[in-house]
Amino acid sequence: DADALVSNAMQAVLLYYFWILRSVQDKVKEGKPMDEIPNYDDFTSALVGVIDARPKLDGIRLHAIGVLLDLYTSFACLRTIDTSNSNDLSSLVKDVPPKAAQLILSSFSAAEKAYAKRLNRSIDAEEADLPEEPESAPEDSDEEESEDEHLSPTQRLLRKKQEVLVAEKRLVELTSKIVIAIVGRVLDYAEPSRGHLRKRIVQNRMKLGANFKEVLQYLDGPKPKRINKPKPATGARSEEHTSELQS
């Protein structure tokens, strides 16, 4: 299967770069200089090419988006490493290319719309800033409708529930990758469009279920710990304390 081959190849190359990253971290900790700084620009170009060539909700496209975001987010950890005794690694911490960011937003909008359709909910959407791309195959095709005619009411209900779960899983998984990349400052961080993607993905946070909302909460960072104030003394304890003050 060609799609499986492409998917496995992307994953294999990603694992290779994870190994490269670990090697870089080890050398920096040991204070050993590197003969050559690794570069993942060619892999990025290949991934963007796959993403751009596929429909918005195509499985291979979504997998390529996930691989791309994992790649950039992983190398962002080099920001926290002291490189004073090693090579300058700033070239390895990069922003996701603008074209890739636009394609990612396009897939997010399509996944959001598809899930809202399964829930029969209306959402706010911004399509003006999205590039023209080939549309995914319609989810409600005539073939699906003809198949439904042969199903019992219970089977139809189960099928609809399954379709809702699949659409939710797709949206939540994509959103989680986007959120991690935003928090890692490799996506939606560069000017002049800084913050646009974040504003867009939270636009319908209250309309698409608890799981979607929960993932988006990570954009706000950890919640401050609640400090419990001591309760005032009451009853006998209060009277005892009062008499002590008067004596």
Side-chain angles (χ1 to χ4, degrees), residues 15 20 35 45 54 114 165 169 238:
L15 291 176
I20 289 289
D35 296 332
S45 298
R54 299 272 182 154
L165 291 174
K169 180 175 181 289
S238 179

Side-chain angles (χ1 to χ4, degrees), residues 10 15 20 36 51 60 74 80 89 121 161 197 207 214 245:
M10 290 189 295
L15 291 176
I20 289 289
E36 183 179 358
I51 296 169
I60 294 297
S74 298
T80 62
L89 302 179
R121 296 181 186 176
K161 287 183 177 180
L197 180 57
K207 300 180 180 181
E214 176 107 12
L245 292 175

Side-chain angles (χ1 to χ4, degrees), residues 19-242:
W19 177 80
I20 289 289
L21 175 60
R22 174 58 64 87
S23 177
V24 169
Q25 291 172 319
D26 290 343
K27 286 188 176 181
V28 170
K29 289 178 181 178
E30 295 169 4
K32 296 180 179 179
M34 286 168 282
D35 296 332
E36 183 179 358
I37 301 296
N39 192 309
Y40 50 91
D41 288 344
D42 289 342
F43 186 36
T44 296
S45 298
L47 289 171
V48 174
V50 172
I51 296 169
D52 196 19
R54 299 272 182 154
K56 298 175 185 178
L57 295 180
D58 177 81
I60 294 297
R61 170 171 171 147
L62 295 177
H63 183 62
I65 288 174
V67 169
L68 178 70
L69 293 177
D70 285 345
L71 177 70
Y72 277 73
T73 303
S74 298
F75 275 93
C77 72
L78 294 176
R79 284 197 191 98
T80 62
I81 294 181
D82 181 10
T83 60
S84 56
N85 296 323
S86 183
N87 306 67
D88 180 12
L89 302 179
S90 59
S91 63
L92 292 176
V93 182
K94 308 176 184 180
D95 296 320
V96 172
K99 180 178 180 179
Q102 281 289 317
L103 295 170
I104 291 168
L105 175 56
S106 182
S107 282
F108 170 83
S109 294
E112 184 186 52
K113 182 178 178 182
Y115 181 45
K117 184 177 181 180
R118 292 299 183 191
L119 295 177
N120 292 317
R121 296 181 186 176
S122 59
I123 58 172
D124 300 322
E126 295 179 3
E127 303 294 342
D129 57 340
L130 300 181
E132 293 184 5
E133 298 183 60
E135 292 289 339
S136 302
E139 294 189 73
D140 298 319
S141 63
D142 294 336
E143 184 178 348
E144 286 181 342
E145 291 178 1
S146 63
E147 288 178 2
D148 284 348
E149 293 176 0
H150 303 289
L151 300 177
S152 67
T154 302
Q155 289 174 322
R156 290 180 186 178
L157 180 60
L158 288 175
R159 179 169 179 165
K160 286 184 178 180
K161 287 183 177 180
Q162 183 181 23
E163 290 169 346
V164 169
L165 291 174
V166 169
E168 181 187 34
K169 180 175 181 289
R170 181 173 56 199
L171 174 63
V172 171
E173 286 182 351
L174 175 59
T175 305
S176 65
K177 298 281 188 182
I178 294 173
V179 167
I180 292 172
I182 291 176
V183 173
R185 292 179 290 159
V186 294
L187 181 65
D188 196 40
Y189 193 71
E191 299 293 353
S193 59
R194 180 176 177 177
H196 173 74
L197 180 57
R198 174 178 177 143
K199 181 179 179 181
R200 173 63 187 86
I201 66 174
V202 302
Q203 195 169 357
N204 296 296
R205 70 188 304 171
M206 306 302 294
K207 300 180 180 181
L208 295 176
N211 291 329
F212 180 63
K213 180 182 176 182
E214 176 107 12
V215 168
L216 291 173
Q217 284 180 347
Y218 285 92
L219 288 171
D220 301 326
K223 295 181 180 179
K225 293 183 179 180
R226 184 177 179 180
I227 301 176
N228 295 322
K229 296 182 179 180
K231 295 181 180 179
T234 57
R237 180 77 177 169
S238 179
E239 292 177 3
E240 180 183 346
H241 181 64
T242 303

